[in-house]
């Protein structure tokens, strides 16, 4: 049974980023108080950049970085300093500015190619979170927070509509081909079980291009075949933060 989805429409993308950064801080502080560490999966793309910048500067001291373990929702199979690398972006905007220890940054080694990089990442995730699989679907717990974006085609992380990766239940991470003609590299992505075993799922969407997807996700019966992002529900909480352009067709909604 999936948890309800909460959707908040913010006046603009700056406010969306501010609320997202505050949610990151709150989740980190709570997790460290309760369990001594905060595990977070972050995304690439343009939408969360501003949130990372806020965490790196104004909110730098609000996050218990010594106890943060940072993972990636997905990565392109490129060198770690390639402009298309999610790790390169997160390092530049966030990690270079905060006191997080290198062993606590769990990057995906995309440069090894999708099969090897996915196998290595899956093994690392198994060591951290235990084995995935149907038998564990109800009890598995992965990240305290999964911070995601969404594509205009409804993908999230690198789970694209129609992809066989959407049916994988026995791995935390898999290699996939890209369905994005602008960014054609193979990728490695977390699977649906990995994302849905996160305590909180936070999805950001900004701009009119995301309007159709946001409308679809907020509808009573989202078409999960065409909207993989609608299938991602956290164990406790699923929050979509969207700016007014992306949320033009929806009211604040819980469903
Ligand atoms: C990536 C992502 C991907 C992204 C969406 C939205 O690395 O590109 O993890 O899932 O979040 O494609 O991207 P934008 O934020 O650039 O619109």
């Amino acid at each position: 049974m999936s948890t309800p989805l909460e959707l908040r429409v913010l006046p603009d993308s700056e406010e969306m980023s501010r609320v997202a950064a505050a949610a990151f801080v709150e989740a980190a502080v709570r997790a460290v108080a309760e369990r001594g560490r905060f595990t977070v999966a972050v995304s690439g793309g343009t939408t969360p950049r501003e949130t990372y910048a806020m965490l790196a500067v104004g909110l730098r001291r609000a996050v218990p970085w010594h106890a943060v373990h940072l993972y990636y929702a997905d990565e392109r199979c490129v060198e770690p300093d390639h402009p298309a690398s999610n790790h390169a972006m997160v390092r530049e905007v966030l990690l270079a500015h905060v006191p997080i220890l290198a062993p606590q940054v769990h990057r995906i080694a995309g440069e090894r190619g999708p099969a090897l990089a996915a196998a290595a990442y899956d093994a690392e995730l198994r060591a951290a979170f235990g084995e995935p699989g149907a038998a564990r679907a109800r009890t598995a717990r992965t990240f305290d927070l999964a911070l995601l974006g969404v594509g205009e085609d409804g993908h999230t992380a690198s789970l694209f509509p129609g992809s066989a990766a959407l049916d994988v239940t026995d791995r935390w991470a898999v290699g996939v081909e890209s369905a994005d003609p602008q960014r054609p590299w193979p990728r490695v992505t977390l699977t649906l079980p990995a994302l849905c075993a996160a305590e909180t799922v936070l999805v950001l969407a900004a701009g009119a291009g995301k309007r159709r997807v946001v409308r679809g996700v907020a509808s009573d019966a989202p078409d999960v075949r065409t909207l993989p992002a609608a299938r991602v529900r956290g164990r406790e909480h699923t929050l979509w933060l969207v700016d007014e352009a992306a949320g033009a067709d929806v009211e604040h909604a819980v469903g």
Side-chain angles (χ1 to χ4, degrees), residues 6-77:
E6 180 187 357
L7 190 135
R8 289 182 62 189
V9 183
L10 285 314
D12 53 34
S13 65
E14 194 181 331
E15 195 52 26
M16 178 198 74
S17 303
R18 208 184 311 284
V19 175
F24 184 110
V25 171
E26 195 193 317
V29 169
R30 194 179 49 236
V32 173
E34 288 173 4
R35 289 181 288 281
R37 60 198 261 141
F38 175 57
T39 54
V40 60
V42 299
S43 294
T46 50
T47 317
R49 269 188 89 103
E50 188 62 25
T51 299
Y52 301 150
M54 289 174 179
L55 290 168
V57 184
L59 292 170
R60 185 175 178 275
R61 290 175 192 281
V63 176
W65 293 107
H66 68 279
V68 174
H69 282 260
L70 185 136
Y71 294 82
Y72 287 87
D74 65 339
E75 183 58 281
R76 297 182 185 77
C77 290

Side-chain angles (χ1 to χ4, degrees), residues 149-174:
V150 61
E152 293 182 14
D153 62 355
H155 81 264
T156 191
S158 288
L159 295 167
F160 293 90
S163 165
L166 289 164
D167 299 322
V168 173
T169 56
D170 60 351
R171 306 217 186 132
W172 294 132
V174 288

